């Protein structure tokens, strides 16, 4: 739910008439309900409380500093995709160990600043990116955590333009290649292969694709562990659908009830 609604013929945002804001600042303007963001964050936090979880807000969705500050003050981490977002993340005082750096186009300068800022980890999309992060970390005398983004080859029930987890998509690394990278982690002495990451798409209204992708991830984690590796984090991504017209997306509780039975079987695994 959101906190926009009519009282009589007057549109309100929370307890404030929108017309009053328009008179004060002029039009056009952007108007956000901070408490709507916080409502959804707290629903997810409560739903996933049974497992160790860091919930990271995706800054590419909205980088308004007031909203970011409110979320961070309530315990949220941040998912960033650029150096500019890192600057904003630091400006709102987020714990750097609650920052994950995604995106397919990280520059050397962005990687360096993120390592210097002591972020939790990078989500890595390719072997070439591993080499770049390792080289930067080596130059800085640091050892940096990374998560490999797996492409689990799952077909979510959503528009093909916003599907990102099937083998036809450019995103992520196929499971066979990812396994080889974990087995060759010794080639990257300044990286800690700490996690795996998935993001299978946006506007997904059913839990089945998430369960399928997470199951493949957990099987992958088992195979790496059997071969002597240790995976500390599983980043299950985002993508929960919303209501544009007549969709009936799953709630936070419904999503959690569908995937928590899978996650609880791996004691100690930290969820992002």
């Amino acid at each position: 739910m959101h906190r926009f609604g009519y009282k009589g013929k007057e549109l309100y945002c929370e307890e404030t008439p929108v017309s009053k804001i328009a008179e004060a600042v002029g039009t056009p303007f952007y108007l956000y309900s901070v408490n709507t963001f916080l409502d959804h964050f707290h629903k997810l936090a409560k739903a996933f409380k049974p497992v160790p979880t860091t919930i990271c807000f995706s800054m590419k969705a909205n980088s308004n500093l007031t909203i970011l500050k409110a979320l961070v003050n309530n315990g949220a981490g941040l998912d960033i995709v650029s150096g500019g977002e890192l600057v904003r993340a630091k400006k709102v005082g987020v714990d750097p160990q609650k920052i994950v750096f995604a995106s397919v186009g990280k520059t050397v300068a962005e990687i360096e600043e993120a390592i210097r800022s002591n972020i939790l980890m990078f989500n890595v999309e390719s072997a070439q990116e591993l080499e770049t992060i390792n080289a930067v970390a080596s130059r800085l005398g640091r050892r940096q955590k990374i998560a490999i983004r797996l492409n689990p080859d799952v077909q979510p029930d959503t528009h093909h333009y916003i599907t990102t987890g099937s083998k036809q998509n450019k995103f992520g690394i196929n499971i066979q290649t990812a396994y080889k990278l974990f087995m060759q982690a010794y080639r990257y002495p300044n990286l800690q292969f700490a996690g795996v990451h998935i993001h299978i798409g946006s506007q997904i209204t059913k839990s089945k694709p998430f369960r399928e992708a997470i199951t493949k991830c957990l099987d992958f984690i088992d195979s790496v562990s059997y071969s002597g590796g240790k995976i500390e984090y599983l980043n299950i991504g985002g993508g929960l659908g919303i209501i544009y017209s007549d969709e009936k997306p799953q709630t936070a509780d419904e999503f959690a009830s569908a995937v928590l039975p899978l996650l609880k079987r791996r004691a100690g695994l930290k969820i992002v």
Side-chain angles (χ1 to χ4, degrees):
M1 298 295 292
H2 60 78
R3 297 204 186 188
F4 288 86
Y6 282 91
K7 296 182 180 180
K9 294 184 178 181
E10 183 82 57
L11 178 63
Y12 277 70
C13 174
E14 300 186 13
E15 300 304 317
T16 302
V18 174
S19 60
K20 184 177 181 181
I21 299 172
E23 291 172 5
V25 303
T27 61
F29 59 93
Y30 287 99
L31 177 60
Y32 304 114
S33 163
V34 172
N35 282 308
T36 296
F37 282 86
L38 294 179
D39 285 347
H40 288 295
F41 169 74
H42 287 305
K43 287 174 184 175
L44 280 168
K46 181 180 178 182
F48 279 86
K49 194 172 183 179
V51 295
T53 308
T54 300
I55 298 173
C56 293
F57 175 71
S58 178
M59 283 184 62
K60 67 184 177 184
N62 192 317
S63 58
N64 180 282
L65 291 175
T66 300
I67 289 169
L68 298 179
K69 182 69 173 175
L71 286 164
V72 166
N73 286 349
N74 278 266
L78 296 174
D79 178 297
I80 68 172
V81 296
S82 70
E85 289 186 2
L86 177 60
V87 170
R88 283 174 169 258
K90 292 196 288 187
K91 186 170 286 189
V92 298
V94 68
D95 178 354
Q97 285 295 292
K98 288 186 174 182
I99 296 177
V100 292
F101 198 147
S103 86
V104 295
K106 308 174 188 74
T107 68
V108 169
E110 288 173 330
I111 292 168
E112 178 172 336
E113 184 58 32
I115 293 175
R116 290 186 184 277
S117 299
N118 196 35
I119 69 163
L120 177 60
M121 60 186 167
F122 293 94
N123 294 333
V124 174
E125 299 267 354
S126 68
Q128 293 88 346
E129 187 181 339
L130 280 175
E131 293 168 3
T132 301
I133 298 173
N134 183 68
V136 175
S138 175
R139 175 161 51 82
L140 296 176
R142 305 282 286 273
R143 191 161 186 259
Q144 176 62 50
K145 288 180 178 177
I146 62 95
I148 295 291
R149 179 174 178 178
L150 296 181
N151 184 318
D153 192 21
V154 168
Q155 292 285 355
D157 183 18
T158 187
H159 195 284
H160 65 275
Y161 283 173
I162 49 177
T163 296
T164 58
S166 68
K167 65 182 179 182
Q168 290 83 13
N169 300 127
K170 66 181 180 179
F171 301 101
I173 301 172
N174 68 68
I175 288 174
Q176 293 77 16
T177 301
Y179 179 79
K180 291 178 182 177
L181 290 173
F182 269 90
M183 294 303 100
Q184 296 172 356
Y186 60 87
R187 295 176 51 192
Y188 309 95
N190 290 87
L191 301 182
Q192 180 182 344
F193 282 58
V196 292
H197 166 231
I198 50 171
H199 189 291
I200 60 174
S202 300
Q203 193 54 14
I204 302 169
T205 59
K206 302 291 191 295
S207 62
K208 183 180 177 182
F210 289 110
R211 285 181 56 86
E212 185 179 345
I214 290 170
T215 297
K216 288 188 175 184
C217 277
L218 294 174
D219 289 344
F220 177 84
I221 290 171
D222 288 344
S223 66
V224 169
S225 299
Y226 183 78
S227 300
K230 186 180 187 304
I231 294 178
E232 185 179 1
Y233 295 92
L234 172 56
N235 185 331
I236 61 175
L240 291 181
I242 64 170
I243 299 171
Y244 283 102
S245 55
D246 57 355
E247 297 92 344
K248 295 180 180 178
Q250 57 190 338
T251 65
D253 283 337
E254 289 168 344
F255 177 48
S257 66
V259 301
L260 280 178
L262 301 173
L263 301 175
K264 287 179 179 178
R265 297 173 193 165
R266 302 305 190 279
L269 187 63
K270 298 173 183 175
I271 307 303
V272 179

